[in-house]
Amino acid sequence: MKTLSIDVRRAEPQDSRAISEVHRLAWQHTYAGIIPHRALRQMIERRGENWWRKATRGPATLLVLDVAGTVAGYATLGLNRARALPQEGEIYELYLRPEYQGIGLGHMLFGEARRLLKSLGCNGLVVWCLEENETGAQFYRSHGGVDYCEGMETFDQKQLKKIGFIWG
C-alpha cells in the first residue's frame, strides 16, 4: 500500500512556478464570467513565476498545500489591511487547483492559515470574497465566517461587491 502525503508548509522560492500555475488555473476557474476577461487575463499574467518567487520572500506569509510533491494550493496571509476592522489577521488569498477542490483540502489549508495567524498573536481574522464567487462565499460561511461588511472592487470599469467575512 502506498501512503499519500499531504502537508501544508511555507512556500519556498523553488515552488514559484507551481504556485503560478495554481494561481492561473484557480483564477480562471473561479473568476471566468465574473471578472471581465481582459482584466482577469492581465491579473493572471502579472503574477508569473518571478512575481511568486519575490512573494516567497515578501512581508506576507505564503503557504502551500503539498499533495504527494505537487503544489495543489496556496494561501497568503498577514496583518489585516482594513484598519477600520478590529480583526488583526487576514487571509488575503486561498486557492486550490480545480481538480483538488471539494475534497476537504481547502478546509485543511484554511485551518493551517488560521492556526498560523493565531500563533503569531493575531486576534480575529477577516477574509474578503467577491459576492459573485458563490463557491468561495459558501466555503467561508461553512467554516463559521460571518458576513460582516461589504466593499467594492473595480475591474475594467465593472464594479463588483466584495464581502468581508470575520471570525472572532
Side-chain angles (χ1 to χ4, degrees), residues 34-105:
I34 297 174
I35 295 175
H37 176 73
R38 186 179 72 170
L40 179 57
R41 190 186 77 242
Q42 289 171 343
M43 291 167 70
I44 291 170
E45 288 172 359
R46 269 198 306 268
R47 297 238 198 133
E49 184 177 347
N50 288 334
W51 192 95
W52 287 105
R53 184 171 289 108
K54 289 176 189 163
T56 64
R57 299 183 196 107
T61 299
L62 178 54
L63 298 176
V64 292
L65 173 69
D66 186 313
V67 178
T70 297
V71 174
Y74 72 90
T76 59
L77 52 125
L79 296 176
N80 174 14
R81 298 170 290 184
R83 300 285 180 234
L85 297 175
Q87 289 71 26
E88 295 175 347
E90 181 176 353
I91 296 176
Y92 310 129
E93 296 181 76
L94 191 146
Y95 292 99
L96 300 178
R97 294 175 68 102
E99 65 268 28
Y100 288 94
Q101 294 177 12
I103 56 173
L105 296 173

Side-chain angles (χ1 to χ4, degrees), residues 4-18:
L4 178 67
S5 66
I6 301 173
D7 188 32
V8 176
R9 60 176 173 77
R10 286 189 186 250
E12 300 172 6
Q14 60 265 31
D15 295 318
S16 302
R17 179 174 296 184

Side-chain angles (χ1 to χ4, degrees), residues 102-117:
I103 56 173
L105 296 173
H107 173 78
M108 182 179 181
L109 182 57
F110 181 72
E112 288 300 316
R114 284 187 73 184
R115 276 188 282 286
L116 180 57
L117 284 169

